[in-house]
């Protein structure tokens, strides 16, 4: 007696993958913003150092330590996002192999929601 995978399971796994992708994308964008903000601060300091007495003022301020910490935090955030992507990719690939059907390639979040939950109340696509 062999067990067969319920057809609806594929759609639920695809929906789970898409929701996870939304959260990953938001995390990646936040890490990229953090990195760009740190880079902007560095550029401002470079311009300030070119001004007369700029480097003298910078040598006596705590802002260099703050900048170093911002850069370190931004790099750590980007590295965490990179590791998350590697883990997610491997995990979903393994699930696809175990289930014997595609999960990562799917019709998208909206179509999956409609397929599993029917048209949403108040939507333009019709009513229940």
């Amino acid at each position: 007696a062999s067990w067969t995978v319920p057809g609806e399971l594929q759609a639920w796994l695809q929906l789970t993958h898409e929701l996870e992708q939304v959260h990953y994308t938001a995390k990646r964008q936040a890490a990229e913003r953090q990195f760009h903000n740190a880079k902007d601060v560095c550029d401002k300091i470079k311009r300030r150092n070119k001004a007369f007495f700029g480097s003298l003022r910078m040598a006596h301020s705590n802002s260099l330590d703050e900048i170093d910490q911002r850069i370190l935090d931004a790099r750590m955030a980007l590295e965490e996002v990179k590791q998350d992507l590697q883990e997610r990719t491997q995990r979903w690939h393994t699930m696809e192999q175990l289930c014997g059907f595609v999960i990562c390639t799917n019709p998208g979040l909206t179509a999956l929601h409609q397929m599993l939950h029917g048209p949403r109340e108040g939507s333009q696509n019709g009513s229940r």
Side-chain angles (χ1 to χ4, degrees):
S2 68
W3 180 77
T4 58
V5 177
E8 196 176 3
L9 178 60
Q10 181 177 13
W12 281 107
L13 287 170
Q14 289 174 335
L15 177 64
T16 302
H17 175 270
E18 288 303 302
L19 291 171
E20 195 174 282
Q21 181 66 30
V22 168
H23 293 290
Y24 166 79
T25 300
K27 187 174 182 178
R28 188 194 78 230
Q29 289 171 342
E32 288 171 352
R33 273 192 306 276
Q34 186 178 358
F35 179 77
H36 289 300
N37 289 342
K39 187 177 180 293
D40 289 345
V41 171
C42 284
D43 291 343
K44 287 178 186 176
I45 287 176
K46 285 179 186 176
R47 286 192 300 273
R48 198 181 305 159
N49 280 344
K50 289 180 181 177
F52 190 66
F53 290 121
S55 55
L56 181 63
R57 270 185 299 191
M58 287 304 299
H60 296 290
S61 75
N62 291 333
S63 62
L64 288 178
D65 291 337
E66 292 173 24
I67 306 298
D68 284 345
Q69 189 59 50
R70 278 188 182 191
I71 292 169
L72 181 62
D73 291 346
R75 283 184 179 160
M76 287 173 43
L78 287 171
E79 182 60 29
E80 183 179 327
V81 166
K82 178 183 169 187
Q83 289 175 2
D84 284 356
L85 178 61
Q86 290 171 343
E87 184 277 330
R88 285 181 62 253
T89 301
Q90 180 60 42
R91 180 168 32 89
W92 285 105
H93 177 72
T94 301
M95 281 195 275
E96 285 181 327
Q97 288 181 324
L98 291 171
C99 292
F101 52 71
V102 294
I103 297 170
C104 299
T105 303
N106 60 64
L109 198 54
T110 303
L112 289 165
H113 266 295
Q114 289 176 349
M115 185 185 325
L116 292 166
H117 302 293
R120 293 184 175 222
E121 290 181 30
S123 72
Q124 309 258 356
N125 298 340
S127 60
R128 288 184 129 174

